[in-house]
Amino acid sequence: MTLEKAWGDSGLAWLTGQPHGSPDFTRAAVLQRATQVLGRFTTATGVEADAAQLLAGRAGLLGWTRAGRISAGGASRLLAAADGCWALTLARPDDLDTVPALIEAECSDLWAAIAGWAQRRSAAEVVQRARLLDLPAAVLGETAPAAPVIRRAGELGPARGLRGALVIDLTSLWAGPLCGQLLAQAGATVIKVESPSRPDGTRAGPSAFFDWMNGGKLSCALDFDRDAGALAQLLAAADVVLEGSRPAALARRGLSPLDVAGRPGRVWLQITAHGAESASAGFGDDTAVAGGLVGYDDGGEPVFCADAIADPLTGIEAAAAVADSMARGGGEVITVALAAVAATYAALPEHARVGEVPALPPPRPRIETIGPALGADNARIGELLAARC
C-alpha cells in the first residue's frame, strides 16, 4: 500500500483541505512515522494499536470533516497577519471573554474582529500579545523539531515492562489520556486523578470520546490543594506519573518530581504545549501550527492538518518514551512538547497526490469500555495504595 493510499484510507486526507476543495495528501509520511513509533511500542509491550485510528478516531466518533482554516472541532482558526500566518484557539469560556482585551475593542463578531486586527500587525506581535493574555496562539512554523528532554531524577530501577506497573495519570483532554490508555492496554493499572472542581474537560463533551480515551482506568477525585498530601502519596507509590499541567503548576504545590521522592525506577512524563521553559498555553491545533504541521488547499495556502494532530501524535510518542524508559530502568523525568513533536513530523518529506487515490471518511473506533465516573474508585485506590506501601 502506498503512503498516499494509507493516508486516504485512514480519513486523515478527508480531514485536511478546504470543505469544498480537494483532500490534501501532502502529509502522508506522518502516518508512516506514527505507525513505526507504535511498532516500537508493540515490540516492547505486545499491544497492537492502529496509528490511523488513533490519529483520526476523534473525528470518526464525532462525525467531523475538513474545514480548511477552521479546525475540525471549530475552536481554532488559521489567520493572516501582516507578514504571515498564525493560529489562535478559543476553546475555554475565559478565552472568549479575553478577546476584547486582545484587540483593545469591544466586538460582536469575535473572529472577524480578530482577523481585522491581526492583518495590521506582524504574526510575532499578535502571538506575543495573545500569550500575555494566556490565549493559546502560535506563529506558523515557529518551533523547531526536538526530541523529548530526558533528565535523571531518582534511583535507577530494574529494567521492566509495563505489565503490573502503577500509573498515576494527572492529564486531561487527548495527548496524556491517550498515552495512559496505551499503557493500560499494556497491562498497567492506570489511576486517572482529577480535581472535582476542574475535572477533565472531555467529561463535559460527547461521552464517546471520554470513554475511548479513559475506559479501563480507575478514577480518583482529589482536590489538588486541599488533598495535596494524599496526592503526594500516590505520586510516591507510582511507577509512572503522567503530568499535563503547566510546568510550574505542581511545583508550587510541592508536588513536582523533585519534591516527591519516588520508588526506584519511577518514570515521570511531562506533556507541555511548548516545552518545560514555556508557560504558554496550547492545544493540539495551534501547537501543530507552531510546529509547521499544516496541510494545503488547492491554491497552496495552509490549512489545518487533520484534527488537532499534535495531540494524538504526542500521545503515541509519549507512550513509546515511557516504555523505552522502563526498559532502561527508569529513574527519569521526560518532557515532551506538543509543538516540538509536530515540528518533528512536519520535517518529514511532503507527498503529492498521485493518480486517483480516494479519500475516505475516518471510521468510528470501537469503544470497549466506558470511562469511570469521577471518583468512583477512591475506596479501591486507597486499598491499592495501602497494599503497595
Side-chain angles (χ1 to χ4, degrees):
M1 180 185 294
T2 66
L3 295 184
E4 291 83 359
K5 178 168 172 48
W7 184 256
D9 289 350
S10 68
L12 293 164
W14 180 271
L15 294 168
T16 309
Q18 293 290 358
H20 301 296
S22 303
D24 178 52
F25 286 74
T26 55
R27 296 300 185 179
V30 166
L31 178 56
Q32 181 186 45
R33 177 184 164 114
T35 300
Q36 291 169 346
V37 174
L38 270 178
R40 194 171 87 233
F41 184 74
T42 298
T43 300
T45 65
V47 172
E48 297 282 351
D50 182 353
Q53 184 179 91
L54 297 182
L55 298 182
R58 182 172 76 163
L61 285 171
L62 304 181
W64 291 347
T65 186
R66 60 188 180 277
R69 291 195 161 202
I70 302 174
S71 64
S76 303
R77 303 284 175 104
L78 258 172
L79 301 163
D83 60 349
C85 286
W86 66 294
L88 176 67
T89 299
L90 301 178
R92 304 165 297 186
D94 288 350
D95 296 338
L96 301 174
D97 296 337
T98 304
V99 170
L102 173 68
I103 64 175
E104 298 180 286
E106 294 297 326
C107 54
S108 55
D109 186 334
L110 296 183
W111 285 113
I114 294 167
W117 169 80
Q119 286 176 346
R120 303 187 298 272
R121 295 165 173 82
S122 70
E125 180 185 353
V126 298
V127 168
Q128 180 184 36
R129 180 166 178 79
R131 287 177 175 170
L132 285 173
L133 295 169
D134 197 35
L135 291 171
V139 178
L140 175 60
E142 67 178 326
T143 302
V149 176
I150 301 175
R151 294 165 289 156
R152 174 64 58 194
E155 297 179 48
L156 193 68
R160 59 175 294 188
L162 285 158
R163 186 160 298 280
L166 178 64
V167 178
I168 304 303
D169 182 358
L170 306 178
T171 68
S172 60
L173 302 179
W174 196 352
L178 172 55
C179 176
Q181 179 60 243
L182 290 169
L183 301 187
Q185 292 176 25
T189 297
V190 180
I191 299 175
K192 183 175 181 66
V193 182
E194 301 166 81
S195 170
S197 61
R198 292 192 65 183
D200 187 332
T202 59
R203 285 188 181 275
S207 60
F209 180 64
F210 179 83
D211 293 342
W212 185 42
M213 287 293 100
N214 297 291
K217 300 178 185 179
L218 303 178
S219 176
C220 179
L222 287 176
D223 184 284
F224 284 22
D225 293 314
R226 292 196 301 270
D227 301 325
L231 182 53
Q233 286 185 314
L234 285 173
L235 300 177
D239 297 303
V240 178
V241 176
L242 307 180
E243 173 198 345
S245 53
R246 302 287 182 93
L250 292 181
R252 67 172 176 261
R253 294 177 170 90
L255 296 171
S256 77
L258 301 180
D259 297 317
V260 181
R263 296 163 64 86
R266 182 181 66 186
V267 177
W268 191 299
L269 181 95
Q270 299 173 326
I271 295 178
T272 70
H274 297 280
E277 303 306 315
S278 172
S280 297
F283 292 92
D285 285 304
D286 54 86
T287 54
V289 171
L293 187 52
V294 295
Y296 303 96
D297 64 18
D298 293 331
E301 294 298 314
V303 294
F304 283 107
C305 179
D307 169 29
I309 196 166
D311 269 320
L313 287 176
T314 300
I316 291 169
E317 293 278 345
V322 170
D324 290 346
S325 182
M326 296 284 280
R328 291 192 296 267
E332 296 175 335
V333 174
I334 304 169
T335 304
V336 184
L338 276 78
V341 169
T344 300
Y345 280 81
L348 298 172
E350 294 184 7
H351 288 252
R353 181 170 177 171
V354 179
E356 292 301 317
V357 180
L360 305 178
R364 182 183 177 89
R366 181 180 176 184
I367 298 173
E368 303 289 346
T369 312
I370 65 170
L374 180 61
D377 303 295
N378 275 23
R380 181 182 172 189
I381 290 165
E383 294 169 0
L384 286 173
L385 190 62
R388 193 172 182 83
C389 293

